[in-house]
Amino acid sequence: MEITVIHLIILGVITGLTKGAGLLPEGPLNAAVGGTVMFTTTLTPAEKPFITAAWKFGDRNIITSNVGNITGPEYEGRITYFTSTASLELRNLTLNDSGEYRVTITPQGEAQKHGNISLSVHVPVSNVTVNASGTDLVEFSSSVHLSCSSSGSSLSFLWLNGSSEVAASDRVQLTDGGSTLTIVNVTRYDQGPFRCRVFNPFSNGTSDPVNLTISYGPENIYFTISPTQESFEEGSNTSLSCSAVSRPSALFNWFLNGDLQSDTGPELTLINIQMSHSGNYSCQAFNKKTMRYQTSQPSVVSVLERISGASVKSSTNMPIEGSSVNLTCDAAGAVFTRKWVKDGSNLTLTENMILHDNNRVLSFISLNKKDSGEYSCKISNPINTEEATYTVVVNYGPENVQITGPNEIHIEQTLTLTCSAESTPSASYTWTLNGAELQNSAIFTKNITELSDSGNYICEAMNNVTGRTSSSVVHQLSVTAVKTSPCSAGCIAGLVIACLVICGAGFGGGYYIYKKRINNKPQAHDTEREEHMYENTSEVYENI
Ligand SMILES: *[C@@H]1O[C@H](CO)[C@@H](O)[C@H](O)[C@H]1NC(C)=O
Ligand SMILES: *[C@@H]1O[C@H](CO)[C@@H](O)[C@H](O)[C@H]1NC(C)=O
Ligand SMILES: *[C@@H]1O[C@H](CO)[C@@H](O)[C@H](O)[C@H]1NC(C)=O
Ligand SMILES: *[C@@H]1O[C@H](CO)[C@@H](O)[C@H](O)[C@H]1NC(C)=O
Ligand SMILES: *[C@@H]1O[C@H](CO)[C@@H](O)[C@H](O)[C@H]1NC(C)=O
Ligand SMILES: *[C@@H]1O[C@H](CO)[C@@H](O)[C@H](O)[C@H]1NC(C)=O
Ligand SMILES: *[C@@H]1O[C@H](CO)[C@@H](O)[C@H](O)[C@H]1NC(C)=O
Ligand SMILES: *[C@@H]1O[C@H](CO)[C@@H](O)[C@H](O)[C@H]1NC(C)=O
């Protein structure tokens, strides 16, 4: 009954808009099997009954109303006729009621009028179901057919993918009036849910969702080592992990230098790693649904022994200038690089030096005293660095031997002569005077000089490590008496006696002689020498 009411409203609207087919609005009318339909004419209720009115379905009589009412046998009990408008209600509809209906009336005093309309009776849509040729599919190789079936008549179909309508394309075909959806070469995005929606003009229905399981991959394989490094200390731990885009999840295998390892799973943990663990690791992902593989690029794991016990050793512990010396830098563990440092700065190789054996040996061809210093060797690998130091002291000399001291000295004065030389270790010295050995020390001292101490003092320096002796250095010394005139001992005695006699009154004369002498000498030492002379004179006098 409700359905009929809806149709009345629809008819009313349509009447206002169209001229219709005569007395009836334009059709068709749709109705469900078992339902009711109302054929409403456009007439306003008439004052006077019509002379005749007749409804026909094709050429079959439904009702003819003039003197009495004649109802067709098939319509007995199924119709209600409205005399004032000639409208007709038809109930208990069957599919056989679909077709063309026609009404003819003859109002009093007017010409005959006609109207016609068609009726479609539909079986309502129900039991919409989808049948899939398969739901377990493989990307890029499977195709799938989804067929939709439904009860009902005059059906039309559409497919929903999620909430949007499926559109036909190269890959997506809609056949059998839209009831079959074929997806060729499925992709992972075709998982749905797919639903079939069925319509007829009177009703609609939607199927349960169908989900497709689409296997894909593995792809985008991603292999990482953590911690992220290439070199590992012997005894440390590391873990390698592998992932891949895959449905279902990939299975993983591991390879070391191309050899399949017994470990499986997305993570390979290496505990207490040893040298034998070094190599190229790769992982392989396998999808047992797609039967596809993907293998990662290999990554290098190198296991290294820590550097320890670094040392620098010298080929000699007594390096001598001019000799050749090797400093050898060694350590236990995996040595990657060696670097030499001298006195805190990177070593600059001179012509004198050669590095052998990847910097292991620093070779001095001919040692120079400038090569003395602190040598460090830094040994490194990606794990650690160790440094060892060696101090080189180049033994050399003696050289530049020099004697310092006076060349002239007065008798009975103290004589000090110093001999020096450049030498490592310090030199030892030997003094000789006129061929006679005097003393073995750097400083030669004589408290009270005698005239016989005049002569050529020779100093010789010697280095007992280098085994070298310097060439002799000669220093001339003259020990002078009070008077400078060339005079023998007897002459001096005579002079003294003369003095005793002549200079009884004082030593003014002596002073005079002295003064006269110094006037002939260079000025520089005047004062000093004057005093010495004076003292000496009085000493000599007193002694007598
Ligand atoms: C015809 O039927 C209608 C309704 O069923 C009724 O109102 C009318 O009086 C009938 N006419 C005659 C002449 O019997
Ligand atoms: C419809 O008509 C066919 C013959 O045309 C008949 O066989 C069938 O029984 C009819 N159906 C109904 C529901 O009256
Ligand atoms: C399926 O699609 C992929 C990419 O869309 C294409 O590479 C492949 O050739 C297709 N396979 C078939 C059988 O059409
Ligand atoms: C279904 O929808 C997804 C996006 O939601 C789309 O990528 C895919 O191609 C669609 N599949 C079909 C068969 O329409
Ligand atoms: C389907 O039918 C329902 C009533 O059963 C109606 O409300 C809805 O609008 C219809 N949908 C379409 C798309 O025709
Ligand atoms: C690892 O691979 C690299 C290059 O791919 C190669 O040079 C190296 O020798 C390989 N190492 C081992 C242990 O196979
Ligand atoms: C220093 O090392 C070089 C190279 O190893 C070697 O030829 C040379 O004989 C060594 N010299 C000394 C003094 O050990
Ligand atoms: C020289 O004099 C110093 C002190 O003036 C004295 O210690 C030393 O013994 C003296 N040497 C000689 C040989 O008399």
Side-chain angles (χ1 to χ4, degrees):
M1 291 312 281
E2 211 180 308
I3 293 163
T4 312
V5 172
I6 291 164
H7 282 279
L8 283 171
I9 294 162
I10 292 168
L11 284 173
V13 172
I14 294 168
T15 308
L17 293 175
T18 63
K19 287 292 167 205
L23 293 174
L24 291 165
E26 247 181 321
L29 289 174
N30 290 297
V33 167
T36 299
V37 69
M38 181 74 184
F39 300 105
T40 307
T41 63
T42 56
L43 298 172
T44 50
E47 300 275 314
K48 303 168 189 169
F50 305 121
I51 299 167
T52 60
W55 278 91
K56 287 194 167 180
F57 174 56
D59 37 2
R60 188 183 300 162
N61 178 50
I62 299 171
I63 186 166
T64 307
S65 170
N66 41 31
V67 185
N69 294 328
I70 303 162
T71 301
E74 302 93 340
Y75 296 97
E76 216 50 83
R78 285 179 65 209
I79 60 167
T80 301
Y81 174 68
F82 299 89
T83 46
S84 60
T85 57
S87 296
L88 179 73
E89 185 187 76
L90 179 59
R91 296 182 293 273
N92 292 331
L93 293 167
T94 71
L95 286 177
N96 288 352
D97 292 326
S98 292
E100 197 69 17
Y101 289 82
R102 186 176 166 83
V103 64
T104 307
I105 60 166
T106 313
Q108 292 191 19
E110 284 184 56
Q112 217 176 37
K113 291 180 180 175
H114 302 282
N116 58 14
I117 191 163
S118 69
L119 171 69
S120 291
V121 179
H122 303 281
V123 179
V125 173
S126 66
N127 295 328
V128 180
T129 54
V130 170
N131 227 308
S133 60
T135 53
D136 207 358
L137 307 169
V138 172
E139 188 177 41
F140 304 140
S141 70
S142 303
S143 295
V144 65
H145 300 283
L146 300 176
S147 42
C148 183
S149 61
S150 164
S151 304
S153 56
S154 309
L155 303 176
S156 59
F157 300 84
L158 76 76
W159 290 88
L160 294 171
N161 172 9
S163 58
S164 50
E165 192 179 333
V166 171
S169 69
D170 291 352
R171 260 178 359 100
V172 180
Q173 296 155 12
L174 294 167
T175 51
D176 299 337
S179 67
T180 302
L181 167 64
T182 304
I183 307 170
V184 179
N185 199 1
V186 294
T187 73
R188 69 194 67 178
Y189 308 107
D190 292 331
Q191 61 177 23
F194 291 99
R195 283 176 299 163
C196 171
R197 184 166 284 170
V198 181
F199 296 89
N200 63 21
F202 171 72
S203 66
N204 63 64
T206 304
S207 71
D208 285 340
V210 171
N211 287 298
L212 302 180
T213 302
I214 296 160
S215 303
Y216 55 86
E219 57 190 38
N220 295 346
I221 193 162
Y222 183 60
F223 173 29
T224 49
I225 301 181
S226 68
T228 319
Q229 63 195 46
E230 268 199 4
S231 303
F232 292 89
E233 187 179 347
E234 209 179 19
S236 63
N237 302 334
T238 181
S239 127
L240 316 182
S241 42
C242 201
S243 66
V245 174
S246 178
R247 179 182 176 153
S249 297
L251 304 174
F252 294 95
N253 277 318
W254 294 90
F255 293 87
L256 169 55
N257 299 327
D259 298 330
L260 180 66
Q261 303 294 290
S262 57
D263 313 76
T264 56
E267 199 164 296
L268 176 63
T269 305
L270 302 177
I271 291 167
N272 186 20
I273 41 181
Q274 300 300 315
M275 301 294 204
S276 59
H277 289 116
S278 290
N280 288 322
Y281 283 83
S282 56
C283 68
Q284 187 182 62
F286 173 61
N287 181 325
K288 63 180 177 190
K289 272 279 167 56
T290 64
M291 300 300 279
R292 291 171 194 153
Y293 292 91
Q294 194 176 35
T295 306
S296 72
Q297 287 293 311
S299 286
V300 178
V301 168
S302 59
V303 181
L304 300 178
E305 214 182 308
R306 230 185 143 68
I307 290 167
S308 62
S311 69
V312 175
K313 292 197 177 105
S314 171
S315 57
T316 171
N317 50 9
M318 276 294 175
I320 294 170
E321 189 180 32
S323 66
S324 71
V325 169
N326 284 350
L327 297 183
T328 305
C329 171
D330 274 319
V335 174
F336 276 44
T337 59
R338 289 178 171 88
K339 208 175 105 182
W340 288 92
V341 168
K342 185 190 177 190
D343 296 328
S345 322
N346 287 345
L347 178 67
T348 334
L349 283 188
T350 62
E351 282 181 357
N352 189 25
M353 302 174 195
I354 298 174
L355 286 167
H356 296 284
D357 200 4
N358 261 334
N359 290 2
R360 179 173 164 264
V361 177
L362 171 59
S363 201
F364 296 89
I365 299 160
S366 169
L367 213 51
N368 188 296
K369 61 188 171 218
K370 287 184 199 143
D371 294 330
S372 290
E374 197 181 73
Y375 290 82
S376 299
C377 173
K378 285 185 183 170
I379 305 184
S380 306
N381 69 17
I383 292 164
N384 71 329
T385 295
E386 268 210 6
E387 185 171 347
T389 296
Y390 186 87
T391 304
V392 173
V393 177
V394 178
N395 295 293
Y396 70 96
E399 49 193 56
N400 279 336
V401 184
Q402 281 180 340
I403 299 174
T404 51
N407 288 97
E408 194 177 291
I409 193 166
H410 284 276
I411 192 159
E412 292 184 358
Q413 281 192 305
T414 297
L415 171 66
T416 302
L417 294 177
T418 306
C419 189
S420 64
E422 291 167 18
S423 175
T424 300
S426 300
S428 58
Y429 300 91
T430 311
W431 290 94
T432 50
L433 172 61
N434 302 330
E437 200 163 307
L438 291 175
Q439 194 176 331
N440 289 330
S441 69
I443 299 168
F444 171 74
T445 314
K446 178 107 194 251
N447 284 3
I448 300 165
T449 48
E450 298 161 31
L451 289 174
S452 61
D453 291 331
S454 292
N456 288 332
Y457 284 81
I458 295 173
C459 173
E460 219 172 49
M462 208 190 96
N463 179 327
N464 60 359
V465 170
T466 63
R468 288 176 202 151
T469 304
S470 68
S471 51
S472 308
V473 178
V474 181
H475 184 84
Q476 209 170 22
L477 176 77
S478 48
V479 181
T480 53
V482 180
K483 305 284 178 159
T484 55
S485 52
C487 193
S488 68
C491 160
I492 292 167
L495 214 141
V496 171
I497 293 161
C499 199
L500 282 171
V501 174
I502 299 161
C503 314
F507 57 81
Y511 179 77
Y512 174 70
I513 293 161
Y514 171 69
K515 185 96 189 220
K516 207 177 151 189
R517 181 182 155 266
I518 59 168
N519 283 343
N520 298 332
K521 289 274 171 186
Q523 293 296 300
H525 299 294
D526 271 3
T527 320
E528 203 185 344
R529 234 171 252 281
E530 191 174 342
E531 282 164 10
H532 285 303
M533 194 62 97
Y534 178 81
E535 280 167 24
N536 288 349
T537 310
S538 15
E539 247 177 84
V540 169
Y541 179 79
E542 272 167 30
N543 284 349
I544 293 163

